[in-house]
Amino acid sequence: MTIPRRSALAATLLGTAAALLPAPSAQAHARVDHPDGTAAPDPEQARLADARTTALTRRAALDTFTARFPAALAGTRTPAEAEDLVRAWGEALFRSAVDRAQGQRPGGDLPAADDRPLYWTRLAMTVQLDSWRPGFAVDRAALRARFEDCSRGLTGNAFTGRPGLRRIFVSGFDPFGLDQEIRRANPSGSAALQLNGRRITLADGTRAELRSVVLPVRYGDFDRGIVERAFGPRMAAGPLAAHAVTSISQGYPGLFTLEEWAARARSADPYPDNTGALSGGTYDHPVPPAGVGPGAEFIRTTLPADAVTAAVQEPYPVRLNPTVTEIPAGQDAPVDREDGPTPGSRAVAGGGGGYLSNEVAYRSNRLRLELAPRLPGGHLHTPVLTGLPADPALLTGPEFEANERAITDEVLAVLTHYAL
C-alpha cells in the first residue's frame, strides 16, 4: 500500500490531515516554580482552565479522586508515607478507569470506554500534588514520576502467571492535539483500558491474558525511560513474561496499519508534544531519541502481519505498511521508500512517522531485541477517531461513541489473530 509520507506524517501526529502548526516559542513549555517551592502549572496542566475538562472527570464519576486527594496528602507525616500514598492513589485511579471501561464500575453519563476522564483526572491530581505544601522535605519530581507510573498501569499490573494462559502486553496513548480540539480522545488509550486484565480466546483456540499501560504524549517522559520501564518487566525472563508485545497509537484516517519498520529518529517538528515541547528533529534533519540504548537505524516488526491482514478487514481495512524515510548511505537528503530501508542508510521516519508513536515502537522493539529477541513485537496504528459533535459544548455523541466502539473492537480482533 502506498501512503504519501508527508501527509501520512501529519495524520499520524494530529489525527487528521492538519495544517502545519507554528512552532511554539522556547517559553511555551517552560516551567516556573513559585518561591515556596511549588510549581506553576505547565502548559498541559493549564488546559484544565477549560471547564470541559472538569466536566469529563465529573461525568465519569472520577471526581471523588480530585475531591479527596488533597486531604489525603495533607494527612501524611513523612516522605515515606507520601510515597506510599501517591503510589496507592495512582494505582487506584488506574484500576477505577479500567473497571469503568469494562463496565465494572458504573457512574456518570459518559460512555464507559471513554479514555478522556482518566487523562484529565490524572492531570488535575498532578496539579494538586504540585501545589501541596508539606511540613517536611519532599522530592516533588520523584513523587510526580511515581504517580504518573502508577496511574498509567506501570505498577501493580503484572500478569497473573496462571498456567495455560498466553500473555499479551500492549500500550496505548493519552489524547493529544488538544490545542486544536480539547475534546479529543485517543482510541489506543480506550483500547488499553478495555483490554487490561481481560482473558480472550485466540484464533488457534488458546487462551490469553492481556495487560496494558497508557503512555504520555511527552518527549520528556520518553527521555527519562518510561517506555523501557513499561515494557522491560514484561520482557524479563520468568513466569510473568509476555508472549507478545504491541504498542498502539492513533494513526491514519479510515484504516489500521501494522507498521513494518520503526525508525531510530525524531523528525516531527514543528509538531509539539502535549506540553508544547519539540523534539529537535525534522524531516530534513532527524535526531536520535534522547536516552535510547544502542540499536539499528530501523527495526522490523515480528508480529504476524500476514495472519492479521488475511483475517481482519472489517469495518476498517488492515494493512502492513512497509514505507520508511531514510537518508541513503553516502547522501544527505531524505528519501521516501515504499519497500523498507536500504543498507547503511540513516533513519528519518518509520511507517508511523517520526513522532512518539514511532518512538514507542522503536524503543520497545530495541529492548525486545536485547532482552527477548524471539518475542513477537511491533506497532499497530488505529484509524483516526472522528465524530465529535459540531457543538463544542457537547462532549460526546452517537457517531463519536459508535466510532470508538468499532475501533476498539477491531483492536481486539487483531490481537486474537496473534499466533503465540
Side-chain angles (χ1 to χ4, degrees):
M1 181 191 70
T2 300
I3 300 176
R5 296 293 300 142
R6 290 182 186 267
S7 61
L9 179 60
T12 301
L13 297 181
L14 295 181
T16 182
L20 194 65
L21 296 175
S25 67
Q27 288 76 29
H29 55 274
R31 189 180 187 89
V32 180
D33 289 346
H34 294 303
D36 64 3
T38 61
D42 63 30
E44 191 173 25
Q45 294 170 328
R47 297 189 188 99
L48 291 163
D50 190 312
R52 290 172 293 181
T53 67
T54 305
L56 285 164
T57 290
R58 184 184 69 253
R59 291 178 57 183
L62 293 180
D63 51 342
T64 54
F65 282 90
T66 53
R68 298 176 181 176
F69 189 48
L73 283 170
T76 61
R77 296 292 178 264
T78 67
E81 286 184 11
E83 183 174 348
D84 288 345
L85 181 133
V86 162
R87 178 186 182 110
W89 278 72
E91 291 180 354
L93 176 60
F94 184 74
R95 286 196 304 271
S96 294
V98 167
D99 288 347
R100 187 177 186 281
Q102 297 178 16
Q104 300 173 22
R105 186 182 188 273
D109 62 349
L110 290 177
D114 200 323
D115 66 305
R116 297 172 295 174
L118 172 61
Y119 173 75
W120 292 111
T121 304
R122 180 196 303 113
L123 201 57
M125 293 174 73
T126 66
V127 172
Q128 294 172 334
L129 181 59
D130 290 346
S131 302
W132 174 47
R133 297 173 174 82
F136 49 89
V138 294
D139 184 337
R140 291 185 179 276
L143 286 178
R144 170 75 180 268
R146 171 63 65 180
F147 179 74
E148 289 279 350
D149 280 7
C150 295
S151 63
R152 295 178 176 280
L154 272 71
T155 67
N157 192 27
F159 289 106
T160 61
R162 180 176 175 180
L165 281 178
R166 312 300 278 174
R167 296 177 290 276
I168 302 174
F169 180 69
V170 305
S171 68
F173 271 109
D174 285 344
F176 65 110
L178 300 169
D179 287 333
Q180 290 69 54
E181 173 54 82
I182 204 164
R183 297 175 297 166
R184 278 186 179 151
N186 193 323
S188 70
S190 174
L193 294 176
Q194 292 183 69
L195 295 175
N196 190 64
R198 287 184 60 177
R199 294 175 182 175
I200 63 173
T201 300
L202 303 179
D204 63 3
T206 59
R207 295 282 288 169
E209 177 185 357
L210 306 173
R211 289 287 166 177
S212 61
V213 297
V214 180
L215 298 173
V217 184
R218 296 190 297 246
Y219 286 112
D221 292 75
F222 274 54
D223 294 346
R224 293 185 289 272
I226 193 169
V227 174
E228 289 78 6
R229 294 198 305 277
F231 282 82
R234 276 79 180 191
M235 296 177 180
L240 302 183
H243 293 101
V245 296
T246 304
S247 51
I248 307 174
S249 65
Q250 181 176 236
Y252 309 104
L255 79 161
F256 279 85
T257 55
L258 283 164
E259 304 303 338
E260 185 168 2
W261 298 95
R264 185 183 177 86
R266 291 176 174 175
S267 57
D269 294 355
Y271 296 95
D273 71 5
N274 273 351
T275 69
L278 298 176
S279 73
T282 67
Y283 192 86
D284 295 309
H285 300 285
V287 298
V292 71
E297 288 292 296
F298 293 94
I299 298 177
R300 195 172 200 168
T301 184
T302 53
L303 292 175
D306 289 345
V308 170
T309 56
V312 185
Q313 292 294 327
E314 294 292 339
Y316 299 97
V318 184
R319 302 284 187 265
L320 177 66
N321 180 18
T323 61
V324 300
T325 302
E326 65 176 13
I327 299 175
Q331 301 183 31
D332 57 8
V335 175
D336 298 335
R337 298 189 58 86
E338 299 177 9
D339 55 354
T342 58
S345 67
R346 180 184 172 196
V348 175
Y355 196 49
L356 290 169
S357 57
N358 170 77
E359 188 168 328
V360 69
Y362 185 87
R363 285 180 179 270
S364 60
N365 282 281
R366 191 212 66 80
L367 191 65
R368 173 181 61 79
L369 291 175
E370 180 180 308
L371 299 178
R374 296 183 180 180
L375 188 71
H379 188 81
L380 175 69
H381 265 121
T382 76
V384 175
L385 176 56
T386 59
L388 281 170
D391 183 347
L394 297 178
L395 300 179
T396 188
E399 182 183 357
F400 173 78
E401 294 174 18
N403 290 345
E404 184 176 56
R405 285 194 300 272
I407 292 172
T408 53
D409 286 350
E410 194 163 340
V411 169
L412 181 58
V414 167
L415 296 180
T416 62
H417 285 86
Y418 284 9
L420 307 179

